[in-house]
Amino acid sequence: MTEQHGRHFHRFERGTDGPKVILVGVDGSDSSLRAAAYAGGLARRQHALLAVVYVQPVLAAGAALGAPVAETADEIAEDLIAQIREAAERLKGLFELRWEFHTFRGDPYNGLVKAADELEADAVVVGASEQAGHRIIGSVAVRLVKAGRWPVTVVP
């Protein structure tokens, strides 16, 4: 609490009582699903909200060349929701875990940054990149770590 001109104001401060929101990026890859499982365990132990985020890729209209990219991205999101709900049902009664699913559009890095900002994430968990080219140009995980705005855990 900060006192200013006789009034009390609450100021948002990250990390004072443990994380309130743990964000995990998922895209359906094995490493992202491992990251979701890891983040779920963290959220359960910390009594934090698990914010599961899928960033739908947005391609220029000409790049798709008639391919139903938006429909495919929507199908991936729906499949991820179904997988998460199924896993949550299996654990129902064993563990209490609060979770939400969010979809953002854009490239993975900027989508996760936007999600973390909007959801006021205290920590971000992502899977390690499985693409060889990311060793040269940098993976989403490396870019998030370099941003230095949240603790970032990279799950292999």
Side-chain angles (χ1 to χ4, degrees), residues 27 39 43 96 100 125 138 140:
D27 61 7
E96 289 300 318
E100 299 174 347
V125 180
V140 172

Side-chain angles (χ1 to χ4, degrees), residues 22-85:
I22 297 174
L23 182 143
V24 61
V26 296
D27 61 7
S29 66
D30 288 342
S31 67
S32 78
L33 296 177
R34 285 190 299 271
Y38 181 84
L42 287 176
R44 179 183 55 80
R45 288 186 297 277
Q46 295 289 332
H47 305 289
L49 173 67
L50 177 64
V52 181
V53 175
Y54 170 60
V55 180
Q56 291 184 342
V58 176
L59 300 176
L65 297 174
V69 175
E71 287 178 22
T72 301
D74 288 341
E75 289 172 11
I76 292 170
E78 290 299 320
D79 184 51
L80 288 169
I81 292 171
Q83 288 180 41
I84 294 164
R85 283 195 178 126

Side-chain angles (χ1 to χ4, degrees), residues 80-147:
L80 288 169
I81 292 171
Q83 288 180 41
I84 294 164
R85 283 195 178 126
E86 182 182 307
E89 278 300 311
R90 284 194 310 262
L91 297 175
K92 197 172 187 176
L94 296 174
F95 301 112
E96 289 300 318
L97 176 64
R98 296 179 304 122
W99 63 276
E100 299 174 347
F101 184 85
H102 299 271
T103 302
F104 288 79
R105 292 188 183 271
D107 68 275
Y109 170 76
N110 288 312
L112 289 174
V113 167
K114 181 178 179 182
D117 285 343
E118 286 185 17
L119 300 171
E120 295 183 343
D122 295 299
V124 176
V125 180
V126 292
S129 175
E130 297 176 349
Q131 297 180 8
H134 287 169
R135 292 187 187 108
I136 299 167
I137 59 171
S139 68
V140 172
V142 169
R143 293 175 67 194
L144 288 168
V145 169
K146 286 183 178 180

